[in-house]
């Protein structure tokens, strides 16, 4: 069946409502993961492995060699904590770094587990004929299953837990049981984690002074109060991602990027997205562009007339900003002065392990799940991101709280991370298919109102930030913006992850970064050949903005006649639940 016939059938035979209801109910049991997608991946792997005798022989040989290494290690390691291990954990794996894991029998547990983990990696990768996507899925699932049964996760096989239990006469386990019951009760009641109440927008976080100067059904536009006698001529619009609340960029006063920019003399505007519900099911990507970025730019042009606008986008907000800038680039009167992208992708071919959840089967399943409610629930989004870093975000907290009986103090960043938003059915389906699955934006197929959006049309200078440990927007993917545009690009690569790497205020310990404005080269060669600097990258951004702006002038008024202040920041949308 050729592609045109398939498309015709799809147009004439839409999915049955009965099928969609069945799939939506199945999704509740499978946590939003398509069983068909997993079955396809597993069948592809096992079928090719079964007809690969050489691969099977190599796996058998590895089994014998690893067993021999472990048996040789066993007598040597007994009562000898300094015995060289037969396998070292991966550099990013911190689970077995403690001194207790050098003692018998815990060293045996850890070595056996790591050898098993290595064997399964060999078994699920390098099987000839298996598609790369299916190989990644099978390898990921195998790793998730192994992580569940890691000796770290059980009291009797974790030396730190046993030592703590002995020292505290079991009180740690009693506290852990209490914590587990508290968390279960809060989850059942739909309440946020304990301690979130100490970080409420407008009270402890998101407290930078300002006014909401515009509101429509999708956004509130916040204009922040200046704190300097003179400001840069060009105002700055920040477009945050709508998969979370905007105040990741305005957390506590000491780590607020908004406050820092205002103190450096910038007139800052921030989009605060509406938290959609069932009534917003038909909001699409074009609505987010038109009602979001373009309406915000229009308001800023009225409030600060005659000035070009610096723009900044974070995560998916940066992707949307790139679309908006390319859309406006053909206009001789484009208002864009500069473009800053923070951990934002424009190419999605190397979008990391998030792509494990992106294929036709999975997206159809997700569509049916969203179709029933009109939106993607916050739990599905949070669960997907937690699976990408299950050791750090699932199992480590389980051990720390429920076995060691230690509650980690809630922080502003953790509280923000728990303040998730919903995704409209149409928008979420569009961006997953167009951007992640088909890579339409980077490859020139993305359209807005029938017009192709071409990234190479962007002429404004760009400042692009990527982070070292980003599981959402891997830095090599972010780096590819240099291939998409002839505009001058300053690329900055900083330590930290997708969130913590951006919230990198001056004085933050153990921060480093590297940057330059060179043309595209091999990413690893770029890292090796670019000087590393200690400290925060925020001052570098401000210096760059200054070089691409005019002289300072008197701050503009708060709002205008057409856009009068409506209420104080942080507004109403940020507190929507």
């Amino acid at each position: 069946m050729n592609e045109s016939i398939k498309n015709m059938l799809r147009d004439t035979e839409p999915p049955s409502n009965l099928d969609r209801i069945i799939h939506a109910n199945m999704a509740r049991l499978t946590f939003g993961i398509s069983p068909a997608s997993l079955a396809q991946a597993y069948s592809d792997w096992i079928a090719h492995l079964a007809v690969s005798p050489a691969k099977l022989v190599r796996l058998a040989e590895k089994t014998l060699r690893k067993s021999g290494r472990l048996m040789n290690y066993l007598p040597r390691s007994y009562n000898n904590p300094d015995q060289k291990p037969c396998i070292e954990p991966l550099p990013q794996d911190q689970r077995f770094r403690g001194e207790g894991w050098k003692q018998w029998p815990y060293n045996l547990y850890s070595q056996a587990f790591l050898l098993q983990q290595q064997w399964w990696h060999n078994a699920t990768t390098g099987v000839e004929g298996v598609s790369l996507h299916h190989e990644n899925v099978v390898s990921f699932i195998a790793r998730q299953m192994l992580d569940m049964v890691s000796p770290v996760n059980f009291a009797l096989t974790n030396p730190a837990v046993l030592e703590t239990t002995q020292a505290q006469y079991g009180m740690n386990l009693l506290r852990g049981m209490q914590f587990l019951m508290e968390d279960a009760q809060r989850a059942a009641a739909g309440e946020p984690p304990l301690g979130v109440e100490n970080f409420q927008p407008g009270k402890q976080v998101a407290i930078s002074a300002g006014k909401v100067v515009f509101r429509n059904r999708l956004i509130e536009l916040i204009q922040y109060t200046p704190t300097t006698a003179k400001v840069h001529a060009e105002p700055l619009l920040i477009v945050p991602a709508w998969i979370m609340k905007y105040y990741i960029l305005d957390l506590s006063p000491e780590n607020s990027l908004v406050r820092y920019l205002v103190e450096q003399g910038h007139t800052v505007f921030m989009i605060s997205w509406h938290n959609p519900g069932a009534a917003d099911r038909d909001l699409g990507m074009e609505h987010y562009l038109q009602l979001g970025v373009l309406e915000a730019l229009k308001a800023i042009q009225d409030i600060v007339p005659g000035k070009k606008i610096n723009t900044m986008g974070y995560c998916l907000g940066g992707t949307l900003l790139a679309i908006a800038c390319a859309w406006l680039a053909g206009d001789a009167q484009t208002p864009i002065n500069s473009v800053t992208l923070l951990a934002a992708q424009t190419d999605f071919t190397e979008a990391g392990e998030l792509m494990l959840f992106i294929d036709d089967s999975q997206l159809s399943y997700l569509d049916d799940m969203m179709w029933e409610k009109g939106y993607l629930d916050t739990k599905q989004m949070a669960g997907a991101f937690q699976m990408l870093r299950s050791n750090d975000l699932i199992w480590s907290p389980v051990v720390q709280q429920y076995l060691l009986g230690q509650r980690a103090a809630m922080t502003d960043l953790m509280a923000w991370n728990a303040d998730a938003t919903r995704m409209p059915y149409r928008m979420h389906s569009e961006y997953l298919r167009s951007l992640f699955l088909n890579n339409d934006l980077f490859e020139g197929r993305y359209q807005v109102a029938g017009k192709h959006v071409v990234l190479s049309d962007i002429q404004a200078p760009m400042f692009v930030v990527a982070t070292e440990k980003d599981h959402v927007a891997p830095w090599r993917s972010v780096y590819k913006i240099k291939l998409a545009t002839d505009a001058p690009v300053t690329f900055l690569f900083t330590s930290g992850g997708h969130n913590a790497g951006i919230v990198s205020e001056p004085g933050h310990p153990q921060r480093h970064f590297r940057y330059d404005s060179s043309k595209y080269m091999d990413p690893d060669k770029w890292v090796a050949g670019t000087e590393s600097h200690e400290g925060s990258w925020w001052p570098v951004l401000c210096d760059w903005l200054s070089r691409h702006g005019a002289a300072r002038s008197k701050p503009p008024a708060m709002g205008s006649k057409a856009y009068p202040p409506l209420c104080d920041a942080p507004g109403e949308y940020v507190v929507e639940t």
Side-chain angles (χ1 to χ4, degrees):
M1 183 183 296
N2 63 39
E3 197 65 30
S4 61
I5 296 177
K6 288 182 181 179
N7 291 334
M8 183 173 65
L9 286 176
R10 286 174 178 168
D11 291 340
T12 57
E13 298 183 17
S16 161
N17 286 355
L18 175 61
D19 289 346
R20 283 181 151 175
I21 291 171
I22 292 173
H23 296 162
N25 282 282
M26 287 173 58
R28 294 193 182 96
L29 301 176
T30 62
F31 302 100
I33 304 298
S34 167
S37 181
L38 294 183
Q40 289 172 1
Y42 179 80
S43 298
D44 189 11
W45 168 70
I46 199 66
H48 284 91
L49 182 62
V51 293
S52 302
K55 176 74 172 179
L56 292 171
V57 169
R58 287 197 298 272
L59 289 175
E61 291 174 347
K62 287 180 181 295
T63 300
L64 293 175
R65 285 202 304 270
K66 292 181 189 301
S67 299
R69 287 164 61 187
L70 187 62
M71 295 304 295
N72 184 53
Y73 174 78
L74 178 58
R76 296 173 183 268
S77 63
Y78 185 75
N79 285 337
N80 182 12
D82 295 325
Q83 174 64 36
K84 183 180 178 180
C86 54
I87 182 173
E88 293 282 357
L90 296 172
Q92 67 272 21
D93 188 350
Q94 302 298 316
R95 290 175 293 181
F96 305 107
R97 302 293 184 185
E99 288 297 316
W101 292 103
K102 297 180 180 180
Q103 305 294 329
W104 195 90
Y106 310 109
N107 50 6
L108 177 62
Y109 299 156
S110 64
Q111 292 294 287
F113 175 80
L114 291 171
L115 288 169
Q116 184 82 338
Q117 179 178 260
Q118 188 182 68
W119 187 92
W120 274 104
H121 175 76
N122 292 327
T124 55
T125 58
V127 180
E128 187 177 0
V130 180
S131 76
L132 179 60
H133 175 67
H134 288 161
E135 177 183 282
N136 290 338
V137 170
V138 172
S139 179
F140 176 79
I141 295 301
R143 191 165 69 249
Q144 295 295 315
M145 298 297 289
L146 283 169
D147 287 345
M148 288 177 61
V149 296
S150 165
V152 176
N153 301 337
F154 302 92
L156 294 178
T157 54
N158 186 323
V161 173
L162 288 174
E163 182 181 354
T164 302
T165 302
Q166 184 178 15
Q168 299 184 13
Y169 301 100
M171 291 303 295
N172 56 306
L173 298 178
L174 180 59
R175 287 196 307 274
M177 182 61 68
Q178 292 173 335
F179 293 158
L180 177 61
M181 293 175 62
E182 288 174 1
D183 291 346
Q185 290 172 356
R186 295 180 76 90
E191 298 175 354
L194 190 67
V196 166
E197 63 276 7
N198 297 321
F199 297 94
Q200 299 182 44
K203 295 181 179 179
Q204 295 86 14
V205 293
I207 60 174
S208 294
K211 300 288 185 181
V212 173
V213 295
F214 173 69
R215 180 187 295 123
N216 61 25
R217 65 173 295 194
L218 190 55
I219 71 165
E220 288 181 330
L221 182 65
I222 301 170
Q223 179 183 357
Y224 290 97
T225 305
T227 60
T228 56
K230 290 189 175 182
V231 297
H232 294 275
E234 299 81 13
L236 171 63
L237 170 65
I238 302 179
V239 184
W242 54 86
I243 60 175
M244 298 294 287
K245 302 290 181 67
Y246 82 85
Y247 64 92
I248 176 66
L249 303 175
D250 185 28
L251 286 171
S252 303
E254 63 271 12
N255 60 3
S256 166
L257 178 58
V258 167
R259 178 172 177 171
Y260 181 80
L261 290 168
V262 170
E263 289 176 345
Q264 303 306 307
H266 291 280
T267 301
V268 178
F269 292 82
M270 173 75 76
I271 288 177
S272 176
W273 298 100
H274 162 59
N275 191 4
D280 302 304
R281 63 182 301 125
D282 292 323
L283 287 174
M285 282 292 289
E286 195 164 324
H287 292 99
Y288 275 73
L289 175 66
Q290 299 287 351
L291 297 178
V293 180
L294 299 185
E295 286 284 354
L297 289 170
K298 179 182 176 182
I300 295 171
Q301 286 180 292
D302 188 82
I303 296 170
V304 191
K307 302 297 181 182
K308 293 274 191 174
I309 301 171
N310 291 320
T311 58
M312 178 184 296
Y314 174 49
C315 186
L316 194 58
T319 306
L320 182 67
L321 176 61
I323 293 171
C325 292
W327 165 262
L328 293 168
D331 185 351
Q333 302 300 317
T334 178
I336 306 300
N337 183 64
S338 71
V339 184
T340 298
L341 303 180
L342 308 178
Q345 299 173 98
T346 51
D347 174 83
F348 292 85
T349 54
E350 294 185 66
E353 288 188 331
L354 193 60
M355 294 300 292
L356 296 169
F357 304 98
I358 309 295
D359 57 33
D360 285 311
S361 174
Q362 180 60 53
L363 293 189
S364 295
Y365 197 66
L366 188 62
D367 279 348
D368 292 341
M369 184 171 64
M370 293 188 296
W371 169 85
E372 184 184 40
K373 292 183 176 180
Y375 57 82
L376 181 68
D377 190 80
T378 59
K379 293 180 181 179
Q380 271 77 36
M381 180 68 71
F385 286 122
Q386 285 179 334
M387 286 182 66
L388 298 181
R389 296 177 57 201
S390 60
N391 279 336
D392 294 334
L393 301 180
I394 298 177
W395 302 117
S396 180
V398 164
V399 172
Q400 197 73 17
Q401 296 185 74
Y402 306 143
L403 297 183
L404 293 174
Q406 300 171 357
R407 279 281 199 197
M410 181 63 65
T411 65
D412 51 7
L413 189 58
M414 292 167 60
W416 166 83
N417 196 54
D419 193 8
T421 58
R422 295 174 289 273
M423 300 291 105
Y425 162 58
R426 178 181 168 189
M427 181 280 300
H428 199 56
S429 179
E430 286 178 352
Y431 95 72
L432 286 179
R433 291 184 182 279
S434 297
L435 301 180
F436 280 86
L437 184 63
N438 298 326
N439 204 27
D440 288 339
L441 176 62
F442 196 78
E443 297 178 9
R445 294 186 298 271
Y446 194 87
Q447 295 186 38
V448 175
K451 172 186 171 183
H452 281 84
V453 174
V454 183
L455 292 172
S456 59
D457 288 342
I458 299 175
Q459 299 300 315
M462 305 183 76
F463 190 92
V464 179
V465 179
T467 65
E468 289 180 357
K469 299 178 181 178
D470 200 326
H471 292 74
V472 179
W475 77 269
R476 289 177 178 80
S477 179
V478 176
Y479 183 74
K480 285 188 175 181
I481 187 65
K482 289 190 174 187
L483 293 173
T485 178
D486 293 326
V489 177
T490 297
F491 182 78
L492 187 144
F493 184 42
T494 183
S495 57
H498 186 71
N499 300 323
I502 300 303
V503 183
S504 184
E505 70 282 0
H508 195 295
Q510 299 178 334
R511 284 287 187 249
H512 60 265
F513 62 91
R514 60 192 78 217
Y515 72 102
D516 73 6
S517 302
S518 63
K519 295 293 185 181
Y520 182 88
M521 66 176 71
D522 177 79
D524 294 318
K525 289 183 178 179
W526 181 87
V527 170
T530 307
E531 181 184 1
S532 179
H533 305 269
E534 297 299 318
S536 168
W537 58 267
W538 289 6
V540 178
L541 168 64
C542 287
D543 289 344
W544 183 87
L545 288 171
S546 296
R547 292 198 304 272
H548 291 87
R552 297 196 183 202
S553 58
K554 183 181 177 181
M558 298 294 291
S560 64
K561 184 177 180 180
Y563 296 91
L566 304 176
C567 65
D568 290 334
E572 298 176 3
Y573 284 175
V574 74
V575 295
E576 290 180 320
T577 58

